[in-house]
Amino acid sequence: MLGMAINSAKLFFAGKLFKENKTVIRQMLLGAILGIIAGVAVGMFAPIWVGAIAAGAVSGLAQPLLLKDLKYA
C-alpha cells in the first residue's frame, strides 16, 4: 500500500498521473477553500472544534464531487 502511494506521488510530481494537472490542482484548491470558508463561518458562532469538524466535513464532501471527472494519463 505504501509503495502504491509513493509511486502515485512520484507520478503526480512528475506530471504523469493526470492528463490535466492544472484542473486537478484547481479543483483541490477549490475544495480546500470551501472548507476554510465553512470552518471560519462556523467558528465565528460556535466553538473552534465545531468549526474544525464543519471544515473537514465540507471539504471532505466536496472533493469527490469536484474530482469525479478526472482523466488519468
Side-chain angles (χ1 to χ4, degrees):
M1 190 75 157
L2 180 62
M4 182 180 68
I6 291 171
N7 188 33
S8 295
K10 285 179 185 177
L11 288 173
F12 177 76
F13 289 117
K16 297 179 181 178
L17 185 60
F18 301 108
K19 287 188 178 185
E20 300 172 0
N21 285 332
K22 290 181 183 180
T23 303
V24 173
I25 292 171
R26 180 176 41 111
Q27 296 294 75
M28 289 173 59
L29 286 175
L30 181 61
I33 290 169
L34 288 173
I36 290 169
I37 291 171
V40 170
V42 172
M44 292 176 74
F45 303 106
I48 192 71
W49 62 271
V50 176
I53 292 172
V58 167
S59 62
L61 289 172
Q63 291 298 339
L65 297 173
L66 292 171
L67 300 176
K68 68 180 178 182
D69 296 326
L70 282 181
K71 304 292 187 239
Y72 292 93

